[in-house]
Amino acid sequence: MAGGDEVKEVRNQQVLARDYISAIPEESDMYLNTSSTIKLRVPDDDDCQEAMLLKNLYLSCDPYTRGVKHSDDAASSTLQDRIVFFATDKPIVGYGVCKVVDSKHPEFKAGDLVWGITKWEEYTLIKNTQSFFKINHTDVPLSYYTGILGMPGMTAYAGFYEVCNPKKGEYVYVSSAFGAVGQLVGQFAKLMGCYVVGSAGSQEKVDILKNKFGFDEAFNYKEEADLAAALKRYFPQGIDIYFENVGGKMLDAVLLNMRLHGRIAVCGMISQYNLEQHQGVTNLMHLVYNRVRMEGFFVPDFYHLYPKFLDLVVPYIKQGNITYVEDIVEGLENGPASLVRLFSGRNAGKAVVVVARD
């Protein structure tokens, strides 16, 4: 926009946090602010020399929104851990798909579609564009860039292919397999010719894992009194690769069932996020007995592989080799309910909030 043009000012609805979150999020922890406004031009301030103004189209609901950082005294050395997703009277922060309204950055121009870390509001001024990727493949649903073609997809790709180094015919177990990441890991494994079992929290999700996503087997972990025995039933020869999303008792049970030279990619531990006292793991010596490699990973460390990831996954989508399920709600005002459903297991796929479709 030219400097002499009159700058339009518009309403900017926001979902704000009432306070830091120390337990499972509830809708009452968030509220809708309808009084905020924003000017549709990047300011001429010194700290906005490469900034861009975004119109948020799709927002992603993810477990990390609760689990990464809760207050200003939580120190960390990593980029994502320095992000405060819930801060008192501030917009919630998370990944989203956006349209560039105005830009001073040489790599982004008005009209570009991008995905990256934004805020739960209609428009967001981004001063640090480091986390953003330009969207070039627009012949797939844009909402996919909150999931299969965004951070969750890259997480599945990095954890499975780069951390676990899978081989055809191996035995793969995915916990929280119905989640945005887990459903992709299982399908990547099947495309490699692996035997794949997933766990989820309802019979409906178990049926979808087997009948829609192509898992060889799946089970409802809530119906298993002995998780180690359940895993032994599905993996009588043991597990080569475990994609860890749950932690706690599930991890302890898996350790008893790992095969020699197995690999565990630690993506998350959703069972621990809302506990004041985290559960201990008692079977770690099995890492030694079976020479198992257990490795945590942080997906931004692999973002340099994003072009390679797209080359693999976009053809899979277009050819129908990968199925992806989304749980979409319309309207920013319905975002808090969608986020809360995620932690109760009531989501029916990748949780997405539509703010605007253009």
Side-chain angles (χ1 to χ4, degrees):
M1 296 182 183
D5 293 346
E6 183 179 350
V7 181
K8 185 178 181 181
E9 187 168 352
V10 298
R11 181 195 69 178
N12 188 27
Q13 286 195 120
Q14 304 168 308
V15 173
L16 307 182
R18 294 191 187 280
D19 204 345
Y20 297 107
I21 305 300
S22 58
I24 297 175
E26 299 178 359
E27 289 186 54
S28 59
D29 292 320
M30 298 159 269
Y31 66 98
L32 188 69
N33 175 25
T34 60
S35 62
S36 179
T37 62
I38 191 169
K39 292 182 178 180
L40 296 183
R41 188 168 70 188
V42 175
D44 292 326
D45 301 341
D46 290 342
D47 61 348
C48 292
Q49 293 308 302
E50 291 193 344
M52 57 183 179
L53 180 66
L54 304 179
K55 180 179 182 180
N56 293 313
L57 305 179
Y58 300 91
L59 298 175
S60 178
C61 296
D62 296 289
Y64 67 77
T65 307
R66 156 63 183 88
V68 175
K69 182 178 179 183
H70 322 309
S71 65
D72 286 331
D73 61 2
S76 173
S77 60
T78 59
L79 171 65
Q80 187 161 337
D81 277 356
R82 288 200 300 268
I83 297 167
V84 182
F85 293 98
F86 275 84
T88 305
D89 294 324
K90 301 292 185 182
I92 295 170
V93 173
Y95 280 88
V97 174
C98 321
K99 188 173 186 178
V100 179
V101 176
D102 189 29
S103 174
K104 291 187 176 183
H105 196 285
E107 295 182 11
F108 301 101
K109 65 181 185 301
D112 283 347
L113 294 167
V114 297
W115 70 269
I117 297 175
T118 184
K119 297 179 181 180
W120 282 34
E121 55 189 356
E122 291 178 287
Y123 296 90
T124 300
L125 177 65
I126 300 294
K127 298 179 181 180
N128 183 354
T129 61
Q130 179 184 354
S131 72
F132 279 85
F133 296 84
K134 189 180 293 187
I135 295 173
N136 295 314
H137 295 279
T138 57
D139 49 352
V140 296
L142 280 180
S143 59
Y144 277 17
Y145 289 90
T146 67
I148 185 172
L149 293 177
M151 181 276 293
M154 269 300 299
T155 301
Y157 173 87
F160 184 63
Y161 290 108
E162 299 296 322
V163 176
C164 290
N165 189 26
K167 302 176 182 63
K168 182 179 179 180
E170 289 193 310
Y171 301 98
V172 178
Y173 173 51
V174 185
S175 59
S176 192
F178 195 75
V181 175
Q183 61 176 272
L184 294 175
V185 174
Q187 292 180 82
F188 288 157
K190 285 303 300 176
L191 288 166
M192 276 211 68
C194 298
Y195 169 79
V196 185
V197 177
S199 58
S202 73
Q203 189 57 47
E204 178 186 11
K205 292 179 179 180
V206 165
D207 292 340
I208 293 174
L209 288 175
K210 293 192 291 185
N211 301 326
K212 194 176 186 71
F213 297 146
F215 282 58
D216 293 288
E217 292 289 349
F219 65 92
N220 182 352
Y221 70 90
K222 294 179 181 178
E223 295 181 351
E224 300 291 344
D226 186 335
L227 290 172
L231 291 171
K232 183 67 175 177
R233 188 166 72 244
Y234 289 104
F235 293 98
Q237 298 181 61
I239 300 167
D240 290 300
I241 292 174
Y242 172 44
F243 200 95
E244 164 69 303
N245 291 308
V246 172
K249 295 178 181 178
M250 182 65 78
L251 175 57
D252 241 1
V254 168
L255 290 170
L256 295 175
N257 284 275
M258 291 299 296
R259 299 185 77 188
L260 197 66
H261 302 298
R263 287 88 72 206
I264 299 174
V266 183
C267 174
M269 295 190 176
I270 195 170
S271 72
Q272 306 300 296
Y273 292 164
N274 300 307
L275 301 180
E276 290 187 9
Q277 182 65 46
H278 291 177
Q279 294 172 334
V281 178
T282 62
N283 294 321
L284 288 173
M285 266 307 291
H286 287 265
L287 296 176
V288 178
Y289 301 150
N290 292 316
R291 291 75 135 183
V292 174
R293 177 168 57 84
M294 182 173 171
E295 181 178 346
F297 69 100
F298 184 57
V299 68
D301 293 342
F302 296 89
Y303 275 163
H304 64 284
L305 298 175
Y306 189 60
K308 180 181 176 183
F309 161 78
L310 289 178
D311 288 344
L312 175 74
V313 178
V314 170
Y316 279 159
I317 294 172
K318 293 180 178 179
Q319 295 161 12
N321 293 327
I322 284 184
T323 300
Y324 198 64
V325 174
E326 296 178 303
D327 186 345
I328 295 179
V329 301
E330 298 276 348
L332 189 60
E333 68 277 8
N334 293 313
S338 181
L339 181 60
V340 169
R341 280 207 314 274
L342 184 70
F343 285 93
S344 63
R346 290 181 286 128
N347 59 303
K350 175 70 188 79
V352 180
V353 178
V354 180
V355 182
R357 291 190 180 270
D358 189 17

